[in-house]
Every structure is written in C-alpha cells, then in structure tokens.
Amino acid sequence: GRRLKVYVDSVGKRSIGIGRNLDDVGISAEEANFLLDNDIARAVGELNRALPWWVTLDKTRRRALLNMMFNVGASRLLGFTQALAALQAGDYAKAADEFLDSRWADQVGDRAIRIANMIRGT
C-alpha cells in the first residue's frame, strides 16, 4: 500500500510512501531537493491565493513572506493581520515590528530577526 504520512511498519521502523524505510534508508539529496521544490511551489500557490498583493513587493520582501508561509502555513500567517496590513501599505518598519512582537518570533528566534530585517530592508 501507499501511505503519504510517516507510519511505523511491522518491524517498528518509521516508513513512508510504498515501504520506504526512513530509519535505515532515509532519503537522498535529490529526493530532499524534490520535496523542497514542491514545498516552495505549494507555499507560493498559497500566497497567491491568500495574499494576491504579495507579488507587488520587491524580491527581498517576497522572499521574507515566502519564508514565513513555508514556516507557519497560510492559516497562521493570515493571523498576523496588523503586520500584513502594514506590509501591504508599505510601512515596512511597522510590519517588521509586528512580526517580531509575536509568540512566533519567540519560538523561531534568529529566523524571525532575519525575516524582519528583510522586511525592513536592512
């Protein structure tokens, strides 16, 4: 059978797909890159649907928003209503401050600082 989420097989090994033994075999670098490409494409699609204005941002700020989408997903990203409103309005300092003033920023630490700096343009 095919399982699209990790499961424990009959001998106690974590597996996925059609019997891929993650404990002993893992995945190759090429497979990891394939998964990453798919994850990025999914995050871009979610941004396009949820925040169509994001494409008007400059490249660095688009990358920052994509990084967040990749990290937290659409539903959690959309919870940053004040930060997103400031970002859409071009108030990048306020947007960055709003993102940093969150539980997410406490959880991810340096990643939040890097993203906020990208949004600020520094």
Side-chain angles (χ1 to χ4, degrees):
R2 177 181 310 185
R3 299 213 189 152
L4 302 180
K5 295 192 178 193
V6 175
Y7 65 96
V8 177
D9 71 10
S10 61
V11 295
K13 304 285 185 173
R14 290 176 302 144
S15 300
I16 195 166
I18 304 171
R20 171 62 66 92
N21 178 331
L22 293 173
D23 289 333
D24 296 336
V25 178
I27 62 174
S28 68
E30 293 81 14
E31 289 166 325
N33 289 333
F34 179 81
L35 292 172
L36 176 61
D37 289 345
N38 284 339
D39 289 343
I40 291 170
R42 184 179 61 248
V44 166
E46 289 176 345
L47 278 168
N48 288 338
R49 284 185 294 281
L51 303 170
W53 54 264
W54 88 289
V55 298
T56 66
L57 298 171
D58 64 79
K59 181 179 178 180
T60 300
R61 290 180 178 101
R62 284 194 316 266
R63 288 181 62 98
L65 208 50
L66 179 60
N67 188 319
M68 284 201 66
M69 177 65 81
F70 187 87
N71 182 230
V72 302
S75 61
R76 287 193 63 206
L77 179 60
L78 293 176
F80 289 91
T81 55
Q82 293 182 24
L84 292 172
L87 187 59
Q88 185 177 12
D91 189 347
Y92 303 127
K94 181 177 180 181
D97 290 343
E98 290 290 337
F99 281 123
L100 288 174
D101 185 23
S102 68
R103 187 172 46 151
W104 165 79
D106 293 337
Q107 293 169 340
V108 301
D110 288 343
R111 182 181 200 158
I113 294 167
R114 286 191 307 274
I115 289 172
N117 286 339
M118 292 170 73
I119 290 170
R120 267 196 190 90
T122 60

